[in-house]
Amino acid sequence: METTASSTADESPLVLLVQPLFPEFAAALAGRYRFVLAADADPAAAAEARVLLVPGLAPVTAQHLARLPALELVVGTSAGVDHVDLDTCRNRGLSVTNAGPAFAVDSADYAVGLVVAVLRRVAAADAYVRRGRWAADGDYPLATKVSGKRVGIVGLGNIGSRVARRLAAFGCAVSYHSRSPKPSSPYTFVPALLDLAAGSDVLVLSCALTDETKHMVNREVMEALGKDGVLVNVGRGGLVDEPELVRCLRDGVLGGAGLDVYANEPAVPPELFGMDNVVLSDHRAVVTPESMRGVLEVITANLDAFFSGRPLVSPVQLCTLNKR
Amino acid sequence: MASAIAAATAPPTGAQHSVLLLRRANDYLAATLRARYRVLSFYDSGAPLPAFLAASAALEPEPPRAALVVGGGAIRLDTAFLDAAPYLRCVVTTAAGLDHVDLAECARRGVLVAGAGEVFSTDVADHAVGLLIDVLRNVSAADRYVRRGLWPVQGDYPLGSKLAGKRVGIIGLGSIGSSIAKRLKAFGCVIQYHSRRPKDGVSFGYFHDMISLATESDALIVVCALNDQTRHIVNKEVLGALGKDGVVVNIARGGNIDEAELISALREGKIAGAGLDVFEKEPVVPAEFFSMDNVVLTAHEAVFTTESGSDLCDLMIGNLEAFFDGRALLTPVLPK
């Protein structure tokens, strides 16, 4: 491993942390790198640090970045990196890495779980049975078929492409909207989100949150999706106009929703708690023990690659995000 | 009695054939039947079943040759029933399962039986996959957790477990089992199965006995018919072989699993969780399940969606028309 001129007895490369690592990560990476909390870094460390590691979704602002003149790489530990000031990173020529495909499979599995749970009312039926209502009040009302539904996927990246493959196996007709068409994809590209919503029974959000995509799902899109339509969000809460979503669900403008992410986590609009046509989760789509091991591998691979001058494993394309 | 029954269902103009209706629901299917046939409805008659059947024999100009019946055990097409209705030549059942029909007796008497074919297969398969994801990834449990306002207070709900790479043992690889396999393959699950005999042209690993299947599986999905051989096919030994990280999903019949042993196994942590759409004494669900967060419970609804309801209606009418026209049934169970 490389050492810098100012490192002393500890030969491990210096990595600044925006917040403490998960204990499992700290244990796995101990001895390979020298970790210092950015807030605790002395002037020498701040001047020397080439890498900033961002555990969880801790915000990385222009101010944080300004304190680190030698910075070259920001290592994210999540699928989305909207908590990092990407404009500043791009302007300074910094590289940014994310979790790559480590979370993609689990996220896609959970998205499909939410689609089935909303359409087939699984969570609501479970609550019904648990309250002893099946014996008392009779059968739970009919839900609607999953197979054959028209599914629109917003963002056909690591997660979206896996959602597509899974729902195609259910016999769903899959179309997608993204910044540009994917020529290798067998699914139908729809240039306008509004058209995708109008032609879909289920809309799944699996794209990055950027200035362009913020509140992309607004009232117009929800009206187009319609009173029998279902919205599933495993992207970011900010993709959806949340107060409008609550109104549309309450008024029957939109048929149902499966939500893993919210505008102000962990705050969830309480009006949703009383709705049977909604399934709520605590931003857990990505999280399984296996995916946590997977993301640790990606982080380690990126750090190793950087410090030995090799190409990064999961760089985020900054020039196409936040174009404006 | 016969006049009371006849008065209850005045025949529509031009109707010829009569059909016994042994089904409580008064829905699109019932209305469609009444539009085409003279319907004698057991539940509308208010009579006990033997009296109803005896009175139907006296119907002019001919007794009902066909009967439409649901599953679920409320009415059994058994020897007593068939003895009381010797005029019956065709039974059409709306259920996915056939454990309420004595097929041997029907075969002996030459009574035709039409089933639900594959009308329900996709919906049951969808629901089974939904239950598996729910158990492994705690979807319903997390939903409860968030609704109780616990997320801001107690932090994240505990981790679930990945689907990809899980070895899923399917018990019964018929139309529903195959549909489940097709869906789970897209999730990267490894599919293997147990059935009476290995299926031709199927590449999944076959296990001759349940203990071997359970030992080598991370999840078991029960998709087989309920009969004498399959009652409690998932028993204490099978649950023990499945192991403390294993989960079981049942969308077949409650009787396929030893429910008391399942409750013990869950309580003692001998298996990791369960997704159940069916129970031994529906609609009574053992209260022991209600406090278990690693169990998902639904109200025998795997088959029921609004779409399958209308598909089913078309199929039932199609079978009755075929019978009365002397054509082969669309979805015959008997003759095989």
Side-chain angles (χ1 to χ4, degrees), chain B residues 12-186:
Chain B
T13 338
Q16 301 176 34
H17 301 292
S18 307
V19 174
L20 286 183
L21 180 61
L22 300 146
R23 190 167 170 273
R24 212 184 284 274
N26 194 14
D27 54 8
Y28 178 66
L29 173 54
T32 312
L33 279 174
R34 291 196 159 91
R36 286 169 189 267
Y37 305 108
R38 184 169 173 193
V39 172
L40 289 83
S41 168
F42 167 60
Y43 286 104
D44 288 343
S45 75
L49 185 60
F52 170 77
L53 293 175
S56 300
L59 199 68
E60 296 292 334
E62 56 165 18
R65 304 263 178 239
L68 195 144
V69 64
V70 291
I75 291 182
R76 303 196 61 77
L77 270 291
D78 54 12
T79 302
F81 186 105
L82 295 167
D83 281 344
Y87 46 81
L88 205 57
R89 306 311 308 148
C90 177
V91 172
V92 174
T93 180
T94 61
L98 290 161
D99 46 289
H100 58 299
V101 179
D102 189 332
L103 295 172
E105 267 306 307
C106 288
R108 205 174 63 75
R109 296 161 196 249
V111 174
L112 304 179
V113 179
E118 299 188 2
V119 156
F120 296 125
S121 297
T122 54
D123 285 324
V124 178
D126 292 347
H127 196 85
V129 174
L131 283 176
L132 182 65
I133 300 176
D134 199 318
V135 178
L136 286 175
R137 299 297 302 278
N138 312 128
V139 177
S140 291
D143 176 86
R144 279 197 293 284
Y145 185 78
V146 174
R147 267 172 219 269
R148 276 195 225 118
L150 294 174
W151 188 15
V153 176
Q154 290 186 19
D156 290 333
Y157 190 82
L159 296 190
S161 170
K162 197 183 200 58
L163 260 89
K166 287 282 188 297
R167 299 162 304 168
V168 177
I170 299 182
I171 306 169
L173 202 69
S175 144
I176 301 174
S178 302
S179 297
I180 293 172
K182 177 173 162 224
R183 283 150 179 71
L184 287 178
K185 274 194 73 69

Side-chain angles (χ1 to χ4, degrees), chain A residues 94-157:
Chain A
L94 305 180
S95 298
V96 178
T97 59
N98 66 0
F103 289 136
V105 168
D106 288 318
S107 208
D109 290 350
Y110 208 89
V112 176
L114 286 175
V115 170
V116 179
V118 179
L119 286 175
R120 298 298 299 270
R121 304 277 174 111
V122 178
D126 177 280
Y128 185 82
V129 174
R130 256 169 228 272
R131 283 192 214 113
R133 291 188 60 191
W134 189 11
D137 297 343
D139 288 339
Y140 191 78
L142 287 190
T144 179
K145 201 181 199 60
V146 173
S147 289
K149 285 285 189 292
R150 301 166 304 167
V151 174
I153 300 181
V154 183
L156 205 71

Side-chain angles (χ1 to χ4, degrees), chain A residues 148-153 172-176 188 190 192-203 220-226 229-230:
Chain A
K149 285 285 189 292
R150 301 166 304 167
V151 174
I153 300 181
C172 292
V174 178
S175 310
Y176 70 101
T188 307
V190 180
L193 176 61
L194 200 58
D195 292 336
L196 184 70
S200 296
D201 304 305
V202 178
L203 197 67
E220 215 188 341
V221 169
M222 287 187 262
E223 278 175 355
L225 191 48
V230 169

